[in-house]
Amino acid sequence: MNHISQTKYSTIEQMTGQLLKGRAVQTKQVKTENSFQSILESQYAKQDSVLKFSKHANERLQSRNIDLSEEQLEKLSTGTKKAQEKGISESLVMVDNIAFIVNVKNSTVITALDEGEDKIFTNIDGAVIM
């Protein structure tokens, strides 16, 4: 037969009350300059502003000897943002006679075509010509 001794234990609240008895309790308020919403929006903006290239797109650019200038990359990024604003999910973005298929949701260039190829585009729901 187990014998359990009866011991009176205090609750955390009781112990806290005893420890802080006679002391002024100060609550520290931290003023945050940015709300969670503004931080979240800025992170999405940063993420959306970075245009990624898939492995396939990089291979196509290299095999077709397409070198993009900073200005062309900026146009491609701007075209992708415009497509996103219109609710397009898979877009054709034309920049200086170079066609890019872009997954707008992921800000990822899927493939690239230049002037010398047949231009048949499937599975897109919008186009932006820069």
Side-chain angles (χ1 to χ4, degrees):
M1 184 183 247
N2 287 343
H3 178 65
I4 301 173
S5 64
Q6 296 288 330
T7 307
K8 184 176 178 183
Y9 291 101
S10 297
T11 65
I12 293 173
E13 290 82 16
Q14 290 171 334
M15 291 299 295
T16 303
Q18 289 176 359
L19 291 172
L20 297 177
K21 194 173 189 178
R23 295 184 190 172
V25 178
Q26 296 179 1
T27 59
K28 188 175 184 180
Q29 294 182 349
V30 178
K31 183 178 179 182
T32 59
E33 293 179 18
N34 295 325
S35 67
F36 176 76
Q37 183 68 29
S38 65
I39 293 170
L40 185 62
E41 288 172 359
S42 70
Q43 290 299 315
Y44 274 122
K46 286 179 188 177
Q47 181 180 7
D48 291 340
S49 66
V50 177
L51 192 60
K52 300 174 286 280
F53 286 79
S54 70
K55 181 179 177 183
H56 177 78
N58 281 323
E59 289 171 356
R60 293 295 176 252
L61 289 168
Q62 186 176 16
S63 70
R64 294 169 176 145
N65 294 320
I66 300 172
D67 291 320
L68 298 174
S69 68
E70 287 295 319
E71 181 182 337
Q72 288 172 320
L73 285 171
E74 185 61 36
K75 285 181 181 180
L76 180 57
S77 181
T78 300
T80 302
K81 287 177 190 174
K82 287 182 179 186
Q84 185 178 38
E85 290 168 3
K86 294 293 184 181
I88 299 171
S89 59
E90 295 286 332
S91 180
L92 163 68
V93 180
M94 292 290 301
V95 176
D96 300 335
N97 294 326
I98 304 170
F100 299 92
I101 302 297
V102 181
N103 179 306
V104 178
K105 180 181 175 184
N106 297 326
S107 295
T108 303
V109 177
I110 304 301
T111 194
L113 308 165
D114 60 4
E115 293 180 39
E117 300 180 55
D118 289 338
K119 292 189 171 94
I120 300 171
F121 305 102
T122 59
N123 299 326
I124 62 169
D125 60 345
V128 178
I129 300 171
M130 299 297 294

